[in-house]
Amino acid sequence: MRRLVPNRVRDEPRLRAAAVGLGLIPPRTMHSDDDARVLAATAAGARCVVEIGVYEGSSALVLHDALSPAAELHLIDPFGAHPDALPSGWGATEWATRRVLARAGRAAGGPGIVWHIALSHDVAADWREPVDLVFIDGDHSETGCAADWEDWHPFVAPGGAVVFHDARADQPDGRGLPGPTAVLARLRGSMPDGWSIAQEADRTVALRRDR
Ligand SMILES: C[S@@+](CC[C@H](N)C(=O)[O-])C[C@H]1O[C@@H](n2cnc3c(N)ncnc32)[C@H](O)[C@@H]1O
């Protein structure tokens, strides 16, 4: 039935927000099964997880399902339209995405959720605690993605990880977008001391802090 709905109606942010918020349609899936596997495997056992770029909540649900009730999942997104983060005309709402995560929590327990309706850079400016996993999937410009890495990787505890989405456009078996791929290409060429690539698949790369 959904295939019969024209794209301009299916993508209209207010209609989508109403349908997603009320649970009539699922949040739009922005990752493949391989992407989700890397994200979930990296999140296993983590206690403090930060997701930058939540949109309608589909990857937040992957993290939610991978984390224990003892964990805290911080979700950062200013919501609305962001040309460097989403195709033109797309946008999610805080109301709908909060409802997606609230439904998941009621159904399955899961981690504590902390919302940050803000830009990732502003949240990082006030951040103090160590983090086990940062998932970077917000501003996809090269500058924005590089800023997320610079702002957040110092908070990652030894054994923890930073996961990039859309960062494998230059790999033979990969996909991605130019901004995150350029940031990863620089990191591959000159990996910071104590960091290594732990896993990668499709559009996703997980960097682990070894020490
Ligand atoms: C590609 S979507 C995220 C997709 C989501 N992770 C998923 O898999 O469903 C990008 C999101 O990043 C958000 N965004 C853009 N700039 C941001 C920033 N500086 N900080 C945090 N979020 C940002 C946008 O509002 C948008 O919802």
Side-chain angles (χ1 to χ4, degrees), residues 30 51 53-55 58-59 77-78 82 85-86 119-120 137-139:
M30 308 286 274
E51 177 176 66
V54 186
Y55 185 53
S58 72
S59 54
D77 201 309
H82 294 273
L86 289 168
L119 296 168
S120 48
D137 196 19
D139 183 338

Side-chain angles (χ1 to χ4, degrees), residues 80-103:
H82 294 273
D84 283 327
L86 289 168
S88 162
W90 290 22
T93 69
E94 176 188 350
W95 174 81
T97 306
R98 275 186 187 263
R99 287 180 63 108
V100 167
L101 271 298
R103 271 197 299 275

Side-chain angles (χ1 to χ4, degrees), residues 4 44 63 68 82 94 98 190 201:
L4 300 176
L63 291 169
S68 77
H82 294 273
E94 176 188 350
R98 275 186 187 263
S190 163

